[in-house]
Amino acid sequence: LRDFEEAQQRFEELLAEDPYRLDGVDTYSNILYVREEKRKLSALAHSCVSTDKYRPEACCVVGNYYSLKGAHEKAVLYFRRALKLDANFLSAWTLMGHEYVELKNTAAAVDAYRRAVEIDAKDYRAWYGLGQTYEILAMPFYALFYYRKATALRPYDSRMWCAMA
């Protein structure tokens, strides 16, 4: 949690210096999402859309905002929009997988996570998401396989080890 606080502070400093910056704002929106900062995420979404609504980063920020509000279908819509703008936008594939898990659409979640892994095999979030999805499907050996992949990429993350247990 302390790392998130520091990262949030750094992003806020960056955006204060360059308020029209969109590079990396999807990561900043993930931080705001995890910290449940609805107001800041809403302000960031408005800022990104007014800066350039045709950037995949802006679409991911808006998707994160809707996800935090619990509007998962609308979040998927924005992640899809991001992927229309850039079919290899890793963050959108991973986040869309998370949304499909929330919507109990496991087949679509597996597809989204696999696309993320194809783009970047070092995306631990996609491997972890695959593990969660197969756990939901009551396929423990598949889940364990994917959790091992995530743990190998993030060996110091206790969440990965808890999933393995």
Side-chain angles (χ1 to χ4, degrees):
L1 192 61
R2 187 161 170 75
D3 291 338
F4 283 126
E5 288 174 18
E6 185 178 337
Q8 181 178 346
Q9 184 179 0
R10 296 268 166 98
F11 270 110
E12 287 169 359
E13 290 167 4
L14 273 172
L15 289 174
E17 287 178 28
D18 184 3
Y20 299 107
R21 175 190 180 90
L22 290 178
D23 295 330
V25 291
D26 54 310
T27 303
Y28 178 45
S29 76
N30 290 339
I31 293 166
L32 295 176
Y33 179 92
V34 169
R35 301 199 66 216
E36 297 182 8
E37 302 253 6
K38 279 186 185 175
R39 283 189 176 159
K40 287 186 179 182
L41 189 52
S42 173
L44 181 65
H46 284 288
S47 172
C48 289
V49 168
S50 66
T51 300
D52 187 354
K53 65 182 179 180
Y54 298 108
R55 288 275 303 267
E57 293 91 341
C59 295
C60 279
V61 171
V62 176
N64 264 341
Y65 170 71
Y66 281 118
S67 178
L68 189 57
K69 285 186 64 171
H72 302 293
E73 294 91 358
K74 208 156 188 179
V76 167
L77 177 76
Y78 277 92
F79 295 135
R80 283 191 180 283
R81 192 172 291 174
L83 292 167
K84 283 183 182 176
L85 296 168
D86 181 356
N88 290 321
F89 197 67
L90 176 66
S91 190
W93 283 114
T94 304
L95 293 170
M96 192 162 62
H98 296 340
E99 293 309 307
Y100 281 132
V101 167
E102 289 295 324
L103 293 167
K104 310 272 190 275
N105 186 345
T106 52
V110 166
D111 184 51
Y113 289 134
R114 286 200 173 142
R115 294 289 296 268
V117 167
E118 286 173 13
I119 294 166
D120 182 4
K122 293 183 180 177
D123 181 18
Y124 77 94
R125 297 175 310 156
W127 290 113
Y128 183 78
L130 280 165
Q132 284 184 314
T133 306
Y134 280 107
E135 194 171 349
I136 290 167
L137 291 169
M139 299 174 80
F141 292 110
Y142 283 95
L144 186 59
F145 173 81
Y146 293 117
Y147 284 144
R148 281 186 182 153
K149 292 273 197 183
T151 304
L153 293 168
R154 298 278 296 218
Y156 301 109
D157 191 334
S158 61
R159 295 171 299 168
M160 303 304 131
W161 290 104
C162 287
M164 290 269 289

